[in-house]
Amino acid sequence: MLGVCYYPEHWPEAWWAKDARRMRDMGISFVRIGEFAWSRLEPRRGAFDFGWLDRAMDTLGAAGLKVVLGTPTATPPKWLMDEYPEIAPVDQQGHVRGFGSRRHYTFSSEIWWRESARIVEIIAKRYGEHPALDGWQTDNEYGCHDTTQSWGPEDLKAFRRWLRLRYQSTDQLNEAWGNVFWSMEVNSFEDVVLPNLTVTETNPAARLDFWRFQSGQVAAYDKMQCEIIRKHSPGRWITHNFMGFVNDFDHWKVGENLDVASWDSYPIGFVEKFPFSQEEKNRWAETSHPDIAPFHHDLYRGVGRGRFWVMEQQPGPVNWAPWNPVPKPGMVRLWTWEALAHGAEVVSYFRWRQAPFAQEQMHAGLNLPGSDELSAGGREAEITGREIIETGELPATEQAAVAIVYDYETYWASVIQPQGRDFQYHDLAFRWYEAVRKLGVNVDFVPPGAPLDGYRLVLVPSLMMVSDAALQAFSAAKGIVLYGPRSGSRTRQFAIPENLPPGTLAALTGVRVTQVSSLRPGLEDAVCGSVSGAAIRWREYVETDGEVLARFGNDDPALTAKGLHHYLACWPDQDLLQQTVAHLAAKAGLETIALPDHIRLRERGGVTFAFNYGTEVWASPAVGTVILGEADVKPQAVAAWKD
């Protein structure tokens, strides 16, 4: 189904009923409202104005629309910031990040938690059983604008408390952090300072613990809101709208609080955000890269334990990227169908009408600013709404044959100690995902330690710290497993394992890493054997008691195998990565198809979808009945067929 984000407080009340009717006529079923409305709901402490929201929900419900109500905690009002200025976050340089936009709070403030709980409970009590209410969204885009971490007095106080519970004594803290180095030992938890504003780099173990602490704060804060909502709104589901390429907190942990995950899909904007080459950015500027949206669809389907929404779908140019081009005709429709093919229950567009004022006035909506005229994206959404009805209900999404283990702590650790400037975990994981998708194979994302039953190929792009649960899952795996560089390279205390990397993975992989080398741009080490290509960015010098499938130019092992477990001792270039994944997919007995780089397939319960991001018609291998589009898939078009 389709949804839309709507802000009744932005428009004359006389427009609401007509807007609601037009939404229904377009095939829209869900409307998200309220996530930024605190100042309108409580303009002064204790002085509430619910009348407008009562009428808005009644109006939307009367039109047959289902409401998703957001808690308004992403935008604490000015009067609250004036009462309690300590709520404001502090950046890593010690500067207060003040009022005037959004997400201006630190998760560590006890006062902020109290005020958040107060407003969430008031709203949940009032609207928890409203007949139009279908579900809830907690807050809005945790971590957006670099707001997971804060570096102020409230954060230091909470961090010290967290460390006391974790380590019990400063002796254990000093040992875990290796504080004997550079005389960093402390005699009291009150001696602990935040890991910033130092002369040179801060202790990596302290930084990792600070990141763990702040990530845990996000999850606990979200859990607090969810518990209040469930108390007063039984039978309604709860989600949070995550973002693309934001890894500052553990989404798996927040997902444990939720009934369904959701995310905000801005495929073209993310082209500018991701470390693509200029050539790639130019190529995909008006369509997005074919794997940006699908990567996150599959990730958040995993975070939601099989259930996810797209809460905000890009309907046209956005306002926040360095460059904001208009999507090519057809792309809004393509992105919508692509999300549904990957299992989305609802695709919700942002927003109903373009705002003619404030920070997002350059951000497109389904309607032009201040009018009832559909935008180009709005017309595509209208077409898609009709197609969804004509196509009918899609089959359930099934477990994929390939799993990618995605780990947020590895992202944090690689930021803390990259060793090479361009070693970026999310870039590595994305490229591994891209390599699988180019073979036309479905992918699931799983957290470290999740059972791997039923997966014929398990990809671990990098897993720097291997938990006991993860080691047990890998040991029990019945499919092919491939580990990438730096896997098992650190203990939980951010130290090199005594037996050298890959630490606890050594028995499974038969590998021992003795040296690592970061390769600056332009340097590479050739690889040849069962697969060929080159190591770029990073390579490792390994010893192995297993089989060597490929070697570096100096005859050192590059790709090894010991039973089901394989180790790739480098950051592979495109050729090496594609050949390695294809080789292991064949070894796992998977059916693959070598796709052009602008074509992607997604199979959903016997229905196969094809998406064309390119400039040429693609003759699909459609077998069976075409239920959407044409077998010859035109540029920026989608096709689907049943077996």
Side-chain angles (χ1 to χ4, degrees), residues 298-459:
D298 291 340
L299 173 62
Y300 290 122
R301 190 180 64 251
V303 169
R305 299 178 300 284
R307 297 189 62 193
F308 86 98
W309 283 34
V310 173
M311 190 59 77
E312 297 181 14
Q313 175 60 63
Q314 178 175 358
V318 299
N319 68 300
W320 45 263
W323 287 272
N324 298 287
V326 172
K328 283 189 175 182
M331 289 310 304
V332 172
R333 171 176 172 264
L334 184 152
W335 293 328
T336 304
W337 274 111
E338 192 169 51
L340 298 172
H342 283 257
E345 297 177 6
V346 172
V347 178
S348 174
Y349 300 100
F350 185 90
R351 50 188 279 165
W352 172 247
R353 182 180 289 110
Q354 183 174 346
F357 51 81
Q359 284 93 325
E360 294 182 350
Q361 59 187 272
M362 296 297 290
H363 195 302
L366 296 184
N367 291 270
L368 298 178
S371 80
D372 294 336
E373 182 182 352
L374 289 177
S375 66
R379 292 192 294 272
E380 290 189 29
E382 186 175 42
I383 292 169
T384 308
R386 291 197 298 266
E387 290 176 334
I388 288 173
I389 294 171
E390 293 167 0
T391 303
E393 186 174 355
L394 295 173
T397 302
E398 300 170 339
Q399 179 174 310
V402 178
I404 292 180
V405 177
Y406 196 79
D407 180 45
Y408 291 91
E409 283 202 352
T410 295
Y411 170 84
W412 308 338
S414 64
V415 171
I416 292 167
Q417 197 173 74
Q419 187 65 7
R421 180 179 293 179
D422 54 3
F423 194 104
Q424 297 173 302
Y425 171 73
H426 64 297
D427 190 356
L428 181 68
F430 178 82
R431 295 304 186 182
W432 284 44
Y433 176 84
E434 176 188 42
V436 181
R437 291 264 295 156
K438 285 182 177 179
L439 298 176
V441 178
N442 285 7
V443 179
D444 289 341
F445 282 90
V446 298
L452 301 172
D453 303 339
Y455 291 111
R456 294 160 70 177
L457 177 60
V458 177
L459 301 178

Side-chain angles (χ1 to χ4, degrees), residues 329-331 333-334 610-614 629 632-639:
M331 289 310 304
R333 171 176 172 264
L334 184 152
F611 304 94
N612 189 341
Y613 279 74
D632 290 338
V633 189
K634 297 177 181 178
Q636 290 79 62
V638 55

Side-chain angles (χ1 to χ4, degrees), residues 195-212:
N196 67 327
L197 300 177
T198 54
V199 173
T200 184
E201 65 179 291
T202 52
N203 187 326
R207 288 184 65 187
L208 181 59
D209 265 351
F210 186 66
W211 217 320
R212 288 167 172 159

Side-chain angles (χ1 to χ4, degrees), residues 39 47 96 142 172 211 261 275 279 281 317 366 426 471 506 620 628:
S39 68
V96 174
Y142 292 140
Q172 293 189 72
W211 217 320
E279 180 183 2
K281 287 184 177 183
L366 296 184
H426 64 297
L471 181 62
S620 71
L628 178 67

Side-chain angles (χ1 to χ4, degrees), residues 17-231:
K18 181 172 62 173
D19 284 346
R21 288 193 300 273
R22 291 183 60 229
M23 291 174 192
R24 285 299 300 167
D25 290 344
M26 287 179 64
I28 289 171
S29 301
F30 291 87
V31 184
R32 185 194 69 173
I33 63 174
E35 76 274 16
F36 296 127
W38 194 335
S39 68
R40 280 298 174 97
L41 293 169
E42 190 181 16
R44 293 172 302 281
R45 176 173 291 282
F48 293 97
D49 180 5
F50 292 117
W52 69 270
L53 186 54
D54 293 347
R55 295 190 297 275
M57 291 188 66
D58 290 345
T59 299
L60 295 169
L65 296 163
K66 301 176 182 179
V67 172
V68 180
L69 184 58
T71 63
T73 49
T75 50
K78 184 62 163 61
W79 60 260
L80 180 57
M81 302 303 293
D82 289 343
E83 281 188 32
Y84 300 110
E86 60 268 42
I87 288 172
V90 177
D91 73 14
Q92 195 166 351
Q93 301 307 311
H95 304 129
V96 174
R97 307 179 73 183
F99 179 83
S101 59
R102 63 182 191 175
R103 301 218 52 77
H104 40 277
Y105 67 79
T106 170
F107 289 98
S108 297
S109 169
E110 294 179 2
I111 292 172
W112 172 243
W113 273 56
R114 184 190 71 203
E115 291 296 321
S116 296
R118 180 183 68 86
I119 191 65
V120 170
E121 184 150 35
I122 288 169
I123 292 172
K125 281 183 177 179
R126 185 173 187 90
Y127 298 107
E129 298 193 66
H130 191 286
L133 181 69
D134 200 67
W136 292 86
Q137 176 189 293
T138 56
D139 204 282
N140 187 80
E141 295 183 337
Y142 292 140
C144 192
H145 319 300
D146 192 24
T147 54
T148 296
Q149 297 189 9
S150 175
W151 307 80
E154 297 295 303
D155 308 288
L156 177 58
K157 181 172 65 175
F159 184 44
R160 287 169 173 169
R161 183 167 59 246
W162 184 87
L163 291 172
R164 287 190 188 95
L165 293 172
R166 184 175 180 84
Y167 291 108
Q168 303 297 310
S169 73
T170 53
D171 287 343
Q172 293 189 72
L173 172 67
N174 286 326
E175 178 69 22
W177 284 8
N179 278 344
V180 67
F181 194 80
W182 285 353
S183 290
M184 295 182 294
E185 291 165 306
V186 296
N187 298 313
S188 163
F189 285 105
E190 294 303 308
D191 293 340
V192 172
V193 296
L194 295 177
N196 67 327
L197 300 177
T198 54
V199 173
T200 184
E201 65 179 291
T202 52
N203 187 326
R207 288 184 65 187
L208 181 59
D209 265 351
F210 186 66
W211 217 320
R212 288 167 172 159
F213 151 71
Q214 295 280 27
S215 176
Q217 295 284 82
V218 177
Y221 178 79
D222 185 79
K223 183 178 181 180
M224 173 268 290
Q225 293 206 17
C226 290
E227 288 176 345
I228 293 170
I229 290 169
R230 289 195 172 98
K231 177 181 176 181

